[in-house]
């Protein structure tokens, strides 16, 4: 690779168009590698994509870019479509795109002897400018999965930060309500179920409400019967004719008895309604207290858990894992060679 005939031009390859968008999406993005390009006049042959023989295709290349990457850094197989789908492809010449579609535009040599633990890649082009675009395209391809991984972490970080901010915003108001709600519940419990535990008192209240509802149904039936009896008695009173003393006294006695029964049933119904309302008010306060208390606990738990996860993700983004980093090209350098015309 070292050759006295190389021109030590060291041109910084700044992929501004492609990577500026990525940096905007990812504030903490490590950014694209700054690649130096060296030009050499040492000719190289055209290899096939499988590296099993000479390159094939209707269009012949004039230049080739040699790239060394750490083994396994290429996480997916290279395909012509991969190069053509990159933003760098937009600035390639029409002939280069046609070359990629129909000829061997790249080759891959595993376990390069020149650099230990690296693979050797050849990117062919129909001009020096297109060779540079091929380098840009390769870096885009290599960066795609790491970028997606970083974006996944960044998206999760934003979600957790929003959840934590929302919880912190709700918590003070909920906590402020809790003492008053608890005090009202305690007062109701002291009146309705002073000797029972909270959950036991709630069950008692539900059972009592059920019993009162059944009683009210029975009382409504009873009241309907009593009122019908009193109506019949009134019908008798309105009839014209002579009443014997005994009949008059009997009818009057029946009316008094049914009136007493009516008042008694109405009083029982009123008491049942009051008891059911008291139990319902108690249950409403119990539900309000337990729901608010559970919500406060949940908000605190959310804040605590999100703070931990946020710290973990921030640590990962501050010190990215290897699979999250941009590709590492050996010595941050790529050499472009002319291709033999034999």
């Amino acid at each position: 690779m070292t050759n006295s005939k190389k021109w030590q031009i060291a041109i910084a390859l700044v992929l501004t168009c492609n990577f500026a968008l990525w940096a905007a999406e990812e504030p903490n993005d490590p950014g694209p590698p700054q690649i130096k390009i060296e030009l050499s006049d040492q000719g190289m042959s055209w290899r096939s994509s499988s590296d099993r023989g000479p390159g094939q295709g209707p269009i012949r290349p004039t230049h080739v870019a040699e790239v060394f990457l750490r083994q396994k850094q290429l996480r997916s197989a290279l395909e012509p479509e991969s190069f053509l789908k990159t933003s760098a492809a937009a600035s390639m010449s029409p002939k280069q795109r046609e070359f990629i579609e129909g000829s061997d535009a790249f080759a891959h040599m595993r376990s390069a002897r020149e650099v230990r633990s690296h693979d050797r890649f050849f990117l062919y082009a129909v001009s020096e400018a297109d060779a540079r675009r091929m380098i840009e395209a390769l870096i885009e391809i290599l960066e795609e999965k790491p970028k997606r991984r970083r974006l996944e972490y960044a998206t999760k970080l934003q979600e957790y930060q929003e959840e934590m901010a929302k919880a912190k915003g709700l918590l003070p108001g909920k906590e402020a309500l809790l003492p008053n709600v608890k005090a009202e519940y305690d007062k109701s419990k002291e009146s309705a179920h002073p000797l029972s535990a909270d959950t036991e008192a709630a069950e008692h209240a539900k059972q009592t409400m059920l019993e009162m509802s059944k009683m009210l149904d029975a009382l409504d039936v009873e009241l309907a019967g009593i009122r019908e009896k009193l109506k019949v008695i009134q019908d008798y009173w309105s009839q014209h004719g002579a009443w014997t003393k005994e009949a008059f006294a009997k009818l009057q006695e029946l009316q008094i008895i049914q009136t007493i029964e009516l008042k008694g049933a109405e009083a029982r119904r009123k008491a049942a309604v009051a008891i059911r309302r008291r139990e319902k008010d108690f249950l409403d306060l119990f539900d309000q207290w337990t729901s608010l208390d559970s919500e406060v606990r949940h908000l605190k738990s959310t804040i605590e858990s999100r703070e931990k996860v946020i710290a973990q993700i921030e640590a990962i983004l501050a010190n990215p894992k290897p699979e999250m980093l941009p590709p590492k090209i050996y010595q941050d350098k790529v050499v472009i060679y002319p291709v033999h015309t034999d």
Side-chain angles (χ1 to χ4, degrees):
M1 193 174 77
T2 54
N3 191 313
S4 58
K5 295 182 179 180
K6 291 181 182 177
W7 302 345
Q8 301 298 325
I9 298 181
I11 303 173
L13 180 62
V14 182
L15 309 179
T16 53
C17 177
N18 183 37
F19 291 100
L21 175 60
W22 295 355
E25 293 176 350
E26 302 175 75
N28 297 322
D29 193 289
Q34 298 298 307
I35 304 300
K36 296 178 181 179
I37 296 180
E38 291 185 357
L39 302 179
S40 172
D41 58 3
Q42 177 185 353
M44 298 190 72
S45 60
W46 182 21
R47 303 169 183 269
S48 68
S49 58
S50 62
D51 195 38
R52 295 177 181 172
Q56 301 291 324
I59 300 176
R60 291 185 60 83
T62 61
H63 291 76
V64 59
E66 181 187 49
V67 183
F68 288 92
L69 290 169
R70 286 194 177 276
Q71 292 173 353
K72 298 183 180 180
Q73 192 160 9
L74 184 64
R75 299 179 179 91
S76 59
L78 288 176
E79 299 290 343
E81 295 78 10
S82 303
F83 286 88
L84 294 172
K85 289 179 180 179
T86 63
S87 61
S91 57
M92 292 178 183
S93 67
K95 187 176 181 181
Q96 177 65 21
R97 290 195 291 272
E98 185 180 353
F99 169 69
I100 294 173
E101 289 176 348
S103 302
D104 290 324
F106 53 86
H108 176 196
M109 292 181 62
R110 300 189 181 277
S111 302
R113 290 176 296 177
E114 293 81 356
V115 183
R116 183 178 298 177
S117 301
H118 283 66
D119 286 354
R120 190 181 185 189
F121 292 85
F122 298 97
L123 309 175
Y124 295 96
V126 297
S127 68
E128 179 191 324
D130 285 315
R132 294 175 182 272
R133 302 291 86 78
M134 287 292 284
I135 297 169
E136 294 181 30
L138 177 65
I139 293 176
E140 283 190 52
I141 295 168
L142 293 171
E143 170 64 4
E144 181 182 0
K145 287 188 177 180
K147 172 181 174 287
R148 188 185 310 130
R149 189 65 174 152
R150 293 194 302 272
L151 281 175
E152 288 174 359
Y153 276 105
T155 300
K156 280 295 181 183
L157 177 62
Q158 183 178 357
E159 290 177 0
Y160 290 141
Q161 287 173 334
E162 290 175 355
E163 289 177 8
M164 186 176 70
K166 182 179 179 181
K168 285 186 173 180
L170 292 173
L171 182 59
K174 300 293 184 180
E175 282 186 315
L177 290 173
L178 192 56
N180 290 336
V181 172
K182 182 64 164 60
E184 289 183 26
Y185 164 74
D186 289 339
K187 182 179 179 181
S188 177
K189 181 175 179 296
E190 182 64 26
S191 172
H193 304 278
L195 302 179
S196 300
D198 294 320
T199 53
E200 184 183 11
E203 290 301 319
H204 288 169
K206 292 176 184 177
Q207 186 62 34
T208 301
M209 286 183 65
L210 180 61
E211 292 174 358
M212 291 302 103
S213 294
K214 291 180 180 179
M215 182 181 293
L216 286 171
D217 289 339
L219 285 171
D220 286 339
V221 173
E222 182 181 351
L223 284 168
I226 294 173
R227 291 188 180 110
E228 187 61 28
K229 289 179 183 179
L230 287 172
K231 182 177 180 299
V232 172
I233 292 172
Q234 289 296 327
D235 289 342
Y236 273 107
W237 283 124
S238 62
Q239 290 178 3
H240 298 289
W243 289 85
T244 63
K245 185 176 181 180
E246 292 79 4
F248 183 85
K250 184 63 176 179
L251 194 60
Q252 190 175 41
E253 179 185 1
L254 288 174
Q255 186 179 36
I256 292 171
I257 291 173
Q258 293 305 314
T259 301
I260 293 171
E261 289 295 325
L262 177 66
K263 295 299 181 182
E266 288 177 341
R268 292 195 301 276
R269 190 181 192 285
K270 183 178 180 180
V273 169
I275 293 172
R276 188 174 66 172
R277 183 182 298 113
R278 181 197 69 193
E279 299 301 321
K280 184 179 184 305
D281 291 343
F282 169 76
L283 275 178
D284 288 344
L285 286 171
F286 174 81
D287 290 340
Q288 186 179 357
W289 165 57
T290 54
S291 177
L292 185 59
D293 182 68
S294 175
E295 190 172 359
V296 168
R297 292 174 185 272
H298 176 70
L299 289 172
K300 289 181 178 179
S301 175
T302 297
I303 293 171
E304 182 180 358
S305 63
R306 295 301 179 264
E307 283 179 340
K308 291 180 180 178
V309 176
I310 287 171
Q312 292 171 354
I313 295 178
E314 287 177 340
I316 291 173
L317 291 175
N319 299 281
K321 300 176 181 179
E323 64 267 21
M324 297 170 58
L325 293 172
K328 175 62 177 175
I329 293 176
Y330 181 68
Q331 294 183 341
D332 296 326
K333 181 176 67 176
V334 177
V335 180
I336 295 179
Y337 299 89
V339 174
H340 287 309
T341 58
D342 48 71

